[in-house]
Amino acid sequence: MNRVIAKIATSACLISLFLCFTAVAQEKNREDFSRKQKAAYIYLEALKHYEQDNVGEYYSLLNYAYSLDSTDTMLGFEKGMIDMILNRDDSTRFFKAHDLARRHFIAHPDDYYSSIKYGMVNDQIGHREESLKVWGTLDSIFPEKVDITLRYADALSASIDSADIFKAVEAYNRIESSEGKDIGITSRKIRAFSAIKDTANILRELNLLLEASPQNSMYNTFAGEIYNYLNDDKNALLYFNKACELDPSNGNAFYSRANYYKSIGDSASYDREVFNVLKHEELNLESKLEMLTGYIKALYNDESQQQRIEELLSVLQEQHPHQYKIHELYCAYLAIIKDYNRAAEQMSYALDIDPSNESVWSQYIGLCSQTNNKTLTEEATKRALYYFPESPVLLYQTGLFLATHKDYDNALSTLSNALSKANENAKLKSDILCSIGDTYYQLDSIDNAFKYYEEALDFNPDNLLALNNYAYYLAIKGVELDKAERLSAKTIKEDPENPTSLDTYAWILFKKKNYTMARQYIDLAIKYDDSNSAELNNHAGDIYFMCGEPEKALEFWKSALELDPNDELLKKKVINKTFFYE
């Protein structure tokens, strides 16, 4: 073959290869285009599901669309935003999702809404540098958007670097130039200067605000708060007084002045101001409740202040007769001072206003049970179950009430119903099973009682009531005392000052004839007990008698008999001045 023919053959081969590669590239481009089209179509279908609140299907289709076209940064952004929510506890997956969102921001920072969402995510996770980058970029692209400028300024002001602080103030000033003087922006600037302890600029910003509207009661109140923050008592009171004089209807001014008196320890003035604050119809209820709550916390132990507190609560009730939160606060106060009858009454008023909260009904039943009023408690359980007939907690409380009043058959039925509805709540199941065990014990069905205590501890090995009751009844029956001691010891470890647990442990030791140790624990039970129960005194008498102190034992038996005069065995001990097993 001559060279010309060889050249032609080589050229033909190269052309053929070129055409082949071109065909392959064109085919690949067609496939890529087809995949992108398909991805776009599937994403549109995904959005339809999103609009119908079918989030699961939306996410599934979104993932499919992204698998078809992973070069689409918008698809990646949407997937990344959801994946960050789903993988909060998996840092590797979370930041992989974060990178998808970041990729779209870098490619399209002018995508306003997506960039805002990305910036807010960085704010939430504390990525300060990335937040600054996002908000700074958006501020440069959209300088007319005040909300963007505000976010950028806030991100800058979070720094302790003075250069960033002054950049933040410049951004805040730009907002003021377009929007006018505003207490919110001034407070942000003052907060920024506070971070670098720049008192001169704090006062400068404050004076600029006051110059803009010197007769504005709200601005003067703000000035008082800033001077109070700066420990300038004279100017703080000056501006608080001025604010109150300028607008006597400004409850916030009186509220701030009251808190000022509190901060300097002037209790008399604070007490006077609290009443002034509560008289203001214009002041929002939340602020009044906040102040009154603090007032109650500070003074509820002082009996001389109780009438004053109730007067203040009455003022609030007159102003807001149908406000749930006032009755709730009044109830909490009355419960603290152990006035359970009136506390239950206030809770009842609250529930008349809003009966939709199951946990409040549970609290109400608890309060009614504290009153020892059977009729009231029974009515409370019926009312609660009317609204929440399937509530395992309310059924459990109703079962406890029935068992307390010796209606054992109905108690067991109600508790079993509660158990069937407790689902996966192991702690509640354990509590219910313990109560079933207690009920069977009262019915003298000992085997059933012990069976249910075992089941209660299977669900919650740390159920202190089940541990204590099981241990105590084992001791009463005089069986498995070593096991009883182990169970009771666990309750002592968890709650070493509980008189009931200490009494149980002492009684187990008594049954095991370890009288010296039993005395040590019964002494602790007496030390921590404030109920002065007949049972505890009876046990103490028996233990002291066995420790060789019959006179002390007799004192305890007499105290027990005064509390339980129908106990025949106690009478026998007191009359004969000696111990009897039966």
Side-chain angles (χ1 to χ4, degrees), residues 26-40:
Q26 287 175 342
E27 180 63 26
K28 185 176 185 307
N29 286 338
R30 278 195 295 272
E31 287 180 5
D32 287 346
F33 181 71
S34 176
R35 288 167 69 88
K36 287 178 183 293
Q37 279 189 316
K38 189 174 181 180

Side-chain angles (χ1 to χ4, degrees), residues 538 566-574 580-582:
N538 193 7
N566 297 319
D567 189 318
E568 295 300 326
L569 184 58
L570 259 175
K571 288 180 185 177
K572 194 175 176 182
K573 291 175 187 176
V574 170
F580 291 93
Y581 284 101
E582 295 294 341

Side-chain angles (χ1 to χ4, degrees), residues 534-551:
E535 189 173 44
L536 182 57
N537 279 284
N538 193 7
H539 288 165
D542 291 355
I543 290 169
Y544 267 84
F545 185 87
M546 289 301 183
C547 286
E549 296 191 44
E551 291 182 1

Side-chain angles (χ1 to χ4, degrees), residues 211-405:
E211 286 171 7
S213 184
Q215 302 304 306
N216 187 312
S217 177
M218 184 170 64
Y219 287 6
N220 280 274
T221 302
F222 179 69
E225 289 171 347
I226 296 303
Y227 278 112
N228 190 26
Y229 166 74
L230 295 172
N231 296 315
D232 185 340
D233 293 344
K234 180 181 177 182
N235 276 314
L237 186 57
L238 174 72
Y239 281 102
F240 285 136
N241 286 339
K242 185 177 179 181
C244 293
E245 290 167 8
L246 285 169
D247 183 3
S249 69
N250 181 359
N252 283 306
F254 288 89
Y255 177 72
S256 295
R257 187 166 69 178
N259 280 326
Y260 161 75
Y261 284 127
K262 184 180 179 182
S263 71
I264 64 170
D266 186 346
S267 57
S269 296
Y270 173 66
D271 190 69
R272 182 190 69 242
E273 286 297 307
V274 168
F275 202 86
N276 287 336
V277 166
L278 296 183
K279 286 193 299 183
H280 277 279
E281 298 276 355
E282 295 78 9
L283 185 63
N284 65 71
L285 179 61
E286 286 70 25
S287 294
K288 291 179 180 181
L289 287 172
E290 181 185 347
M291 170 159 283
L292 189 50
T293 301
Y295 189 79
I296 290 171
K297 283 181 179 178
L299 298 175
Y300 77 89
N301 273 327
D302 185 349
E303 290 187 7
S304 66
Q305 294 293 332
Q306 289 182 4
Q307 183 178 351
R308 170 74 163 169
I309 290 171
E310 296 208 27
E311 285 176 5
L312 295 173
L313 284 162
S314 296
V315 167
L316 269 190
Q317 285 190 328
E318 288 172 11
Q319 291 177 347
H320 310 277
H322 304 297
Q323 280 292 338
Y324 173 92
K325 288 183 177 180
I326 301 172
H327 294 295
E328 187 179 45
L329 177 59
Y330 207 160
C331 169
Y333 164 68
L334 292 168
I336 287 172
I337 63 171
K338 295 184 167 49
D339 189 343
Y340 297 117
N341 283 291
R342 292 172 63 217
E345 182 182 26
Q346 287 296 324
M347 185 69 83
S348 179
Y349 295 151
L351 287 166
D352 287 341
I353 295 167
D354 180 10
S356 65
N357 192 323
E358 180 185 339
S359 66
V360 177
W361 280 108
S362 178
Q363 294 171 42
Y364 178 54
I365 293 171
L367 279 172
C368 290
S369 66
Q370 292 280 359
T371 67
N372 296 317
N373 184 328
K374 180 183 176 182
T375 304
L376 180 66
T377 310
E378 184 176 19
E379 183 62 26
T381 60
K382 287 178 180 177
R383 287 178 64 195
L385 289 173
Y386 172 81
Y387 288 102
F388 299 96
E390 300 297 308
S391 165
V393 173
L394 298 177
L395 285 165
Y396 167 51
Q397 288 180 289
T398 302
L400 287 178
F401 163 75
L402 292 167
T404 300
H405 293 281

